[in-house]
């Protein structure tokens, strides 16, 4: 349940009272984990939480406006925002106007702000946002004086562009302040937060601007190859993500300092952290910029070296690996060695009698054998959740999946029959296929069982959060109110208790 999807009169879920109501719901149902998507600033075209100008800073639009009453009062009227979905452009403009008015009257030399800016990494990333606003183009097209960070540069910007500086300092200060308060409320009410971090970052980001030598760029700072996903059964054309690729040898020579800082900063925000596209540490799909994902090729990641090095400074036992898709023996070995759980998604594991290899693409242009030359011997392992290992997080579906109700509406007869066969083994049976699906995950041996709010409410395709490979109408779904959740409170609580998930 991403915070943007919570009810709010301001058109987007935030860190306000409705977040606390949701935490109260989790506590009342004896649910111990709230998983969120990345909380960073989103891209301004697709509004994806996985596309951000900074891996360190927060999304200012999650700030609860009502909690800004300690500053000089500003007058505003709340537009008639939709209750069912986020109107991102309108919401962003509305909130930015409020933040600008408030920030005009602050002094960043006051102790709360100056103490906040003592964090060098945050100060550097804020500097990038300031320069991005001033230059209004990608960092590699900025003036030469803005090519490199320095403390003098930040001071100069503060003197010459105080309004923009104040705006970004205020909003980042409030983001971290409000999130810390909300996380404490969650922890005090027996709920821990599972955060999320993408493996890749945007080319036009503070990460790349501050660490140009760490990324694969030409002399002009442009990318020649970009990130993406290999073709598979979910997308036979593959996916082009367009992120900058790492120069892993340079990272290794620097003792993976960039990654240590990034992971520890995120672990300070959350109790646990999911790393998206975990396979990228072992091998990754590099695509020539401007070309189809079908023209990509495999490259080697840092593999075991990465984990052995960062293990000295990062608590790897607090990580969760999104290791879906390509299955490598070495990935499994690393997860076991460092006690990092992997993932299984039930929607992807129920077999179809007509299926061959469920993770292979259908395109004749891809050599299927070469994609899986390192595939594990137990690729066709038993798929029933009762046989899944403890060292896993089991999911009904994810933010990228259909809702489970949508899955049932579209599933083949053979898959549905397999689901019915699977359901014969569960102890907690319901009149609802969706809740029996949830029950299969809850009764698994996996140490963590996760579903979506959409599945709790048995929503169909209208509740889908994201369709990978598409760029419109994603991330917009919202929960209208909490009445519908109240209807499942007792059911979820009983399931948590009967499966010892509480």
């Amino acid at each position: 349940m991403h915070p943007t999807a919570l009810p709010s009169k301001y058109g987007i879920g935030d860190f306000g009272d409705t977040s606390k109501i949701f935490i109260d719901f989790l506590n009342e149902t004896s649910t111990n984990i709230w998983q969120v998507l990345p909380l960073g600033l989103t891209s301004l075209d697709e509004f994806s939480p996985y596309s951000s100008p900074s891996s360190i800073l927060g999304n200012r639009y999650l700030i609860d406006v009502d909690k800004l009453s300690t500053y000089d009062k500003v007058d505003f009227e709340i537009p008639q925002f939709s209750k069912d979905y986020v109107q991102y452009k309108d919401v962003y403009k509305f909130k930015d106007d409020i933040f600008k008015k408030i920030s005009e009257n602050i002094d960043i030399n006051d102790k709360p702000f100056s103490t906040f800016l003592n964090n060098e990494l945050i100060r550097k990333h804020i500097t990038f946002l300031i320069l991005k606003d001033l230059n209004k183009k990608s960092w590699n097209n900025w003036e030469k004086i803005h090519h490199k960070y320095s403390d003098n540069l930040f001071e100069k910007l503060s003197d010459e562009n105080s309004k923009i500086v104040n705006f970004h300092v205020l909003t980042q200060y409030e983001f971290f302040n409000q999130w810390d308060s909300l996380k404490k409320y969650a922890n005090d009410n027996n709920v821990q937060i599972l955060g999320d971090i993408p493996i890749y970052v945007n080319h036009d980001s503070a990460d790349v601007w501050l660490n140009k030598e760490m990324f694969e760029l030409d002399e002009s700072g442009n990318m020649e190859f970009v990130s993406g996903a290999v073709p598979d059964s979910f997308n036979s054309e593959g996916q082009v993500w367009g992120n900058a690729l790492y120069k892993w040898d340079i990272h290794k020579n620097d003792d993976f300092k960039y990654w240590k800082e990034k992971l520890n900063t995120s672990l300070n925000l959350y109790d646990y952290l999911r790393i998206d596209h975990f396979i990228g540490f072992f091998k990754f799909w590099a695509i020539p910029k401007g070309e189809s994902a079908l023209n990509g090729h495999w490259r080697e990641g840092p593999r075991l070296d990465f984990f052995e090095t960062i293990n000295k400074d990062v608590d790897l036992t607090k990580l969760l690996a999104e290791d879906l898709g390509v299955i490598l023996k070495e990935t499994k070995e690393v997860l076991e060695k460092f006690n990092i759980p992997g993932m299984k998604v039930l929607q992807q594991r129920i077999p179809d009698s007509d299926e061959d290899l469920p993770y292979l693409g259908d395109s004749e242009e891809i050599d299927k054998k070469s994609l899986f030359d390192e595939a594990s011997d137990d690729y066709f392992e038993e798929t029933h959740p009762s046989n899944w290992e403890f060292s896993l997080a089991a999911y009904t579906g994810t933010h990228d999946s259909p809702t489970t109700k949508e899955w049932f509406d579209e599933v083949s007869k053979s898959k549905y029959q397999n689901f019915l066969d699977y359901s014969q083994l569960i102890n907690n049976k319901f009149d609802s296929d969706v809740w029996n699906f949830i029950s299969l995950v809850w009764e698994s041996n996996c140490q963590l069982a996760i579903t979506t709010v959409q599945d709790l409410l048995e929503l169909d395709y209208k509740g889908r959060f994201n369709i990978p490979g598409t760029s419109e109408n994603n991330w917009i779904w919202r929960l209208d109110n909490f009445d519908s959740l109240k209807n499942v409170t007792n059911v979820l609580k009983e399931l948590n208790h009967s499966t010892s998930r509480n």
Side-chain angles (χ1 to χ4, degrees):
M1 176 67 164
H2 198 48
T4 59
L6 288 163
S8 168
K9 62 187 175 184
Y10 294 116
I12 188 171
D14 55 37
F15 297 154
D17 290 340
T18 54
S19 284
K20 290 185 175 180
I21 292 172
F22 183 65
I23 290 167
D24 292 341
F25 163 77
L26 298 178
N27 186 26
E28 187 178 353
T29 59
S30 300
T31 303
N32 305 128
I33 296 280
W34 175 11
Q35 180 173 352
V36 298
L37 305 185
L39 296 180
L41 282 162
T42 69
S43 60
L44 296 178
D45 47 3
E46 300 176 15
F47 305 101
S48 167
Y50 291 90
S51 175
S52 178
S54 166
S55 67
I56 299 297
L57 301 180
N59 185 350
R60 60 179 176 262
Y61 305 106
L62 293 173
I63 292 172
D64 175 19
V65 173
D66 292 335
K67 285 189 172 66
L68 300 178
S69 57
T70 54
Y71 300 97
D72 290 348
K73 189 176 183 298
V74 298
D75 296 321
F76 58 85
E77 289 186 12
I78 306 173
Q80 284 293 109
F81 292 119
S82 169
K83 292 182 178 181
D84 301 320
Y85 59 91
V86 183
Q87 298 164 283
Y88 277 105
K89 289 183 180 179
D90 296 335
V91 167
Y92 280 16
K93 182 182 184 307
F94 165 72
K95 283 202 164 184
D96 274 348
D97 287 343
I98 295 173
F99 298 148
K100 286 173 184 174
K101 289 175 184 176
I102 293 175
S103 64
E104 286 176 359
N105 299 312
I106 70 163
D107 184 350
I108 64 169
N109 294 310
D110 288 347
K111 190 169 183 181
F113 299 120
S114 62
T115 301
F116 174 66
L117 290 171
N118 282 337
N119 184 311
E120 184 180 19
L121 197 56
I122 285 177
R123 189 171 69 251
K124 287 179 175 181
H125 279 246
I126 287 178
T127 302
F128 175 82
L129 294 186
I130 297 165
L131 292 173
K132 191 171 170 60
D133 278 359
L134 287 173
N135 289 283
K136 302 188 184 304
K137 52 185 137 181
S138 179
W139 62 263
N140 54 322
N141 295 313
W142 292 353
E143 298 176 42
K144 192 173 181 180
I145 56 170
H146 293 160
H147 277 196
K148 245 183 142 179
Y149 172 84
S150 69
D151 288 337
N152 289 338
L153 173 60
F154 181 81
E155 297 302 329
K156 188 171 186 295
L157 291 170
S158 300
D159 293 338
E160 298 176 359
N161 303 276
S162 60
K163 285 187 177 181
I164 296 177
V165 174
N166 285 7
F167 172 82
H168 287 295
V169 172
L170 168 78
T171 51
Q172 289 305 313
Y173 170 80
E174 280 298 325
F175 169 88
F176 285 102
N177 192 38
Q178 291 192 15
W179 174 249
D180 286 347
S181 175
L182 184 63
K183 181 180 177 294
K184 183 179 186 305
Y185 182 84
N187 292 166
D188 289 345
N189 285 277
N190 308 309
V191 175
Q192 293 183 301
I193 308 294
L194 171 56
D196 199 334
I197 187 171
I199 190 172
Y200 293 120
V201 295
N202 287 6
H203 170 262
D204 191 20
S205 67
D207 297 72
V208 179
W209 175 65
L210 290 165
N211 304 281
K212 303 177 189 68
E213 70 285 356
M214 300 280 181
F215 293 87
E216 191 175 305
L217 308 170
D218 64 19
E219 292 181 357
S220 302
N222 293 309
M223 301 178 292
E224 294 180 307
F225 289 86
V226 299
S227 67
V230 63
D232 57 26
S233 62
F234 303 105
N235 193 325
S236 60
E237 297 297 311
Q239 296 178 52
V240 179
W241 298 331
N243 306 101
L245 298 177
Y246 298 107
K247 284 185 177 176
W248 282 117
D249 54 337
I250 305 297
H251 283 265
K252 182 178 179 179
N253 292 339
D254 196 41
D255 210 33
F256 298 105
K257 179 185 175 185
Y258 163 83
W259 271 98
K260 290 176 183 177
E261 287 184 337
K262 182 160 73 169
L263 289 173
N264 281 327
T265 299
S266 289
L267 285 171
N268 285 335
L269 281 183
Y270 312 111
D271 298 293
Y272 304 103
L273 182 65
R274 170 190 180 272
I275 300 182
D276 193 45
H277 195 61
F278 194 78
I279 185 67
F281 291 117
F282 299 87
K283 60 193 306 183
F284 57 96
W285 197 244
I287 306 165
K289 189 178 178 185
E291 296 188 23
S292 162
L294 295 172
N295 296 330
H297 61 274
W298 285 117
R299 291 189 187 173
E300 295 294 309
R303 298 184 173 248
L304 183 60
D305 283 345
F306 176 81
F307 299 96
E308 288 185 330
T309 303
I310 70 168
N311 185 44
K312 303 166 190 171
D313 301 288
V314 179
D315 186 353
L316 299 186
T317 64
K318 292 191 174 185
L319 300 183
L320 170 65
E322 187 277 287
D323 59 342
L324 306 172
V326 180
I327 300 173
L328 303 178
K329 285 182 180 179
E330 189 179 357
T331 306
K332 187 174 182 179
E333 290 168 359
V334 165
L335 295 181
E336 289 177 353
K337 179 173 182 178
F338 296 103
N339 197 25
I340 303 171
M343 285 175 54
K344 269 190 170 48
V345 178
L346 184 55
Q347 287 184 15
Q348 299 174 2
R349 306 305 299 185
I350 294 181
D352 190 323
S353 58
D354 298 327
E355 259 181 4
D356 228 348
L357 293 174
Y359 288 97
L360 290 179
D362 297 324
S363 171
E364 293 180 359
E365 297 179 53
I366 296 295
D367 179 353
K368 295 180 181 179
K369 185 178 184 302
S370 70
L371 298 186
F372 292 87
D373 54 359
E374 295 188 61
S376 62
D377 295 332
D378 57 351
Y379 185 79
F380 294 103
E381 65 185 340
E382 177 59 53
T383 56
H384 195 286
S386 63
N387 293 318
W388 293 357
E389 298 171 351
F390 175 77
S391 59
L392 290 168
Y395 286 73
T396 55
T398 72
H399 60 276
D400 285 335
S401 308
T403 67
T404 295
K405 176 68 168 63
E406 180 185 3
W407 185 87
F408 278 117
D409 290 341
E410 298 175 351
V411 76
S412 67
K413 289 182 180 179
S414 55
K415 268 195 178 182
Y416 181 65
Q417 184 57 54
N418 283 333
F419 157 73
L420 293 177
D421 293 341
Y422 278 23
S423 302
Q424 297 301 312
L425 298 178
I426 58 176
N427 297 313
N428 296 271
K429 286 190 167 70
F430 300 90
D431 293 333
S432 156
D433 280 345
V434 172
W435 273 89
N436 283 334
F437 204 88
I438 294 171
S439 189
L440 274 167
V441 168
W442 253 241
E443 290 189 17
S444 73
N445 189 44
C446 302
Q447 62 176 291
L448 190 60
I450 302 181
T451 191
T452 65
V453 167
Q454 290 96 320
D455 284 355
L456 291 181
L457 300 178
E458 302 181 61
L459 301 184
D460 60 13
Y461 71 94
K462 294 178 183 176
R464 182 151 186 181
F465 209 50
N466 179 52
I467 302 177
T470 65
S471 59
E472 295 181 358
N473 299 320
N474 292 317
W475 321 109
I476 64 174
W477 176 83
R478 291 180 67 203
L479 185 65
D480 183 3
N481 59 68
F482 287 107
D483 291 342
S484 51
L485 271 184
K486 290 177 183 175
N487 296 331
V488 301
T489 299
N490 289 334
V491 184
L492 180 57
K493 182 176 183 178
E494 289 173 10
L495 183 61
N496 279 332
H497 281 263
S498 66
T499 56
S500 299
R501 292 283 174 191
N502 61 311

